[in-house]
Amino acid sequence: MEDDSKIVTLTWIEDKPGPSVNDCSLFPEVPDSIWKALGLENGVPSSMSCFLIQTEGKNILFDTGLGAPFSQLQSKLSAKGLTSDSISYIFLTHLHGDHIGGMMKDGQVVFPNAQVFVNRTEAEAWKNMPDGKGDQATAILNAYKDRLHKFEAGDTLDYEIISIPAYGHTPGHTVFQIDSILIAGDLMHGVALQTQYPEYCARYDMDKDAAIEARKRILQYAADNSLTLVGMHFPPAAKE
């Protein structure tokens, strides 16, 4: 008999109410001919999302959304009978504001019981960002410092969650694998474009060559192993 405690349940949480469309200008190197061929002249369907995994009686968040007035993370958790106190783990794909903003409200920690995991390279990079660009990330990591765990690329973490380096979008951008699910963070900002043309980057990718390599590698890994690939800017149809 299958042990029900080992079952992994994935819930997509659309933090920003949709529908969302990324303008073609976000991908400045893509020629008009490709947009036309794909039928995407008016933009690429997207979202601003995070994910809840439930396994072995634990509630695990992957990223926490923007923490903006419109954010739906808390209401979506409430709809599942959960509160912020119910979250035991937070795994961060990277430290952009739309992925960590939900961790703080009015200067206070939102998830008081959560153990927080972040790639060490990512944490160190944002601590040293110039011109105050890393201030939000540093403040949030400091607020959770008593429960902060910095891992190395490729480490297997709690609940057999595998960290897979996907550097390029940010210095320590990380994909997480749990069971047959790949949570790909910001591997792609335009799924309808980049699954077919992974060589094209969004403006947000900090190291474009590394981002392209990571995108091609992860897409191939998912295909080779019949994995379910989800991401924080995938449109709803790509998650259902």
Side-chain angles (χ1 to χ4, degrees), residues 10-63:
L10 171 72
T11 300
W12 167 53
I13 297 176
E14 189 174 20
D15 186 58
K16 180 182 178 182
S20 296
V21 177
N22 281 330
D23 191 83
C24 296
S25 63
L26 182 61
F27 306 89
E29 297 175 353
V30 178
D32 290 342
S33 59
I34 287 181
W35 293 126
K36 184 176 181 180
L38 295 175
L40 297 172
E41 301 98 318
N42 295 320
V44 189
S46 184
S47 73
M48 185 180 294
S49 304
C50 43
F51 291 89
L52 172 71
I53 290 282
Q54 294 173 291
T55 186
E56 298 185 40
K58 298 296 182 182
N59 300 304
I60 304 169
L61 272 181
F62 292 82
D63 295 348

Side-chain angles (χ1 to χ4, degrees), residues 138-189:
T138 299
I140 289 173
L141 296 185
N142 284 340
Y144 284 82
K145 63 182 180 181
D146 292 339
R147 290 167 286 127
L148 183 66
H149 308 271
K150 297 178 183 179
F151 59 83
E152 308 297 336
D155 283 355
T156 298
L157 310 172
D158 295 30
Y159 298 93
E160 299 183 0
I161 294 171
I162 302 168
S163 66
I164 302 173
Y167 300 172
H169 176 61
T170 61
H173 180 261
T174 299
V175 170
F176 295 104
Q177 181 176 356
I178 178 168
D179 197 46
S180 61
I181 299 166
L182 277 183
I183 298 177
D186 282 12
L187 191 74
M188 292 186 285
H189 288 79

Side-chain angles (χ1 to χ4, degrees), residues 1-9 54-57 159-160 179:
M1 180 180 295
E2 184 176 4
D3 181 357
D4 289 344
S5 69
K6 299 293 186 181
I7 294 174
V8 176
T9 301
Q54 294 173 291
T55 186
E56 298 185 40
Y159 298 93
E160 299 183 0
D179 197 46

